[in-house]
Every structure is written in structure tokens, then in C-alpha cells.
Amino acid sequence: MEKTKYQELVNELSPNSKIISNTLKAFLIGGLFSIGGQFILNTFKSAGIAQDSAATYTSIVLIFIGVLLTGLGLYQRIGKFAGAGSAVPITGFANAVASPAIEFKKEGHIMGVGARMFILAGPVIVFGTFTSMIVGVFYYFSKGGLL
């Protein structure tokens, strides 16, 4: 088959990408999650809670919301609609931990939930920890005047 005919066949059979609408959906849903988080933070701060504590409480609430939406089967719907917009760090991470735990609970607490819970989140934790160590070492030596 000639190269041009092959390319025409590929173009004909390939689905059209909806880059603009997918990007807009991701931006809107990710923005809504972020606005919700900021609203929760501001609510805690307006109740007289210190910034550090308010940030911690906000993280806890967002993790709870992510796990609750996952447990109710709503986070998957949001993910299908919003794509990358549903991967906002805290709620997306909570979903990544909760989804396998829910899916494999039939296999038991240890081999199901315990073993499978970090299938998706495990690499994030490992590489996040490794990267933070590298940055910490770089920061340590740069503060000491060695770099």
C-alpha cells in the first residue's frame, strides 16, 4: 500500500479529536474543584481558624469529598465528562486510592483492599517522595553556600 493511501485510510478511520471541548471541560471542572476548595478554606478562616489549620482541614474535607464521590460512583462520571479536570490533586488522589480499594474489596481486606489500594497512587507516592528528597538535598547544599 502506498504511503499516501495508507495515510488517507488512517485519517478516515481515526476518530476526530475534540481538543477544544475536552480542554474547556477539564478547565471548568478542575476550576470548580479549585473554587470549592478555596471556598472551604475561606469558610474555615472566617470562622477564626488559623491559616495552617484551615489548610489542613480543607485538605481533609476535599479528601472526604473525593472518596465520597468515588464511593457513590459519581467521580467516575465526572472523570468521563471532565477528563484531566477531574485529576485535581487532592480529590483526584483520593479517587485514585479509593477506587481500587472499592473494586477489590471482594478479595478481602489484606489481599484485596490492602494490596490493591495503592496500585495507582503508589507510583505517585514513590516518585513524589524521591523528587522531594532530591529537591531537599539541592536546597540543603544551596543554603550552605556550596552551590
Side-chain angles (χ1 to χ4, degrees), residues 2 27 29 36 58 70 83 132 134 143:
E2 290 181 29
F27 177 76
I29 298 301
T58 300
T70 300
S132 66
I134 298 297
K143 281 300 249 189

Side-chain angles (χ1 to χ4, degrees), residues 71-145:
L72 296 174
L74 298 176
Y75 210 96
Q76 289 76 2
R77 286 179 169 175
I78 294 169
K80 280 185 180 179
F81 175 77
S86 67
V88 175
I90 281 193
T91 54
F93 187 76
N95 175 59
V97 172
S99 290
I102 292 169
E103 184 177 343
F104 293 104
K105 69 181 178 183
K106 294 175 187 169
E107 294 181 22
H109 291 293
I110 295 176
M111 295 307 292
V113 175
R116 308 288 179 134
M117 189 166 30
F118 292 103
I119 285 177
L120 295 174
V124 174
I125 293 169
V126 169
F127 289 110
T129 303
F130 179 73
T131 302
S132 66
M133 284 177 26
I134 298 297
V135 170
V137 168
F138 180 76
Y139 179 75
Y140 175 78
F141 286 115
S142 68
K143 281 300 249 189

Side-chain angles (χ1 to χ4, degrees), residues 36-49 54 58:
Q38 187 65 49
F39 175 78
I40 294 167
L41 177 66
N42 291 347
T43 302
F44 282 129
K45 285 171 50 178
S46 69
I49 298 172
T58 300

Side-chain angles (χ1 to χ4, degrees), residues 16 22 24 27 51 60 84 106 119 136:
N16 291 333
N22 289 345
L24 185 61
F27 177 76
Q51 170 70 29
I60 292 167
K106 294 175 187 169
I119 285 177

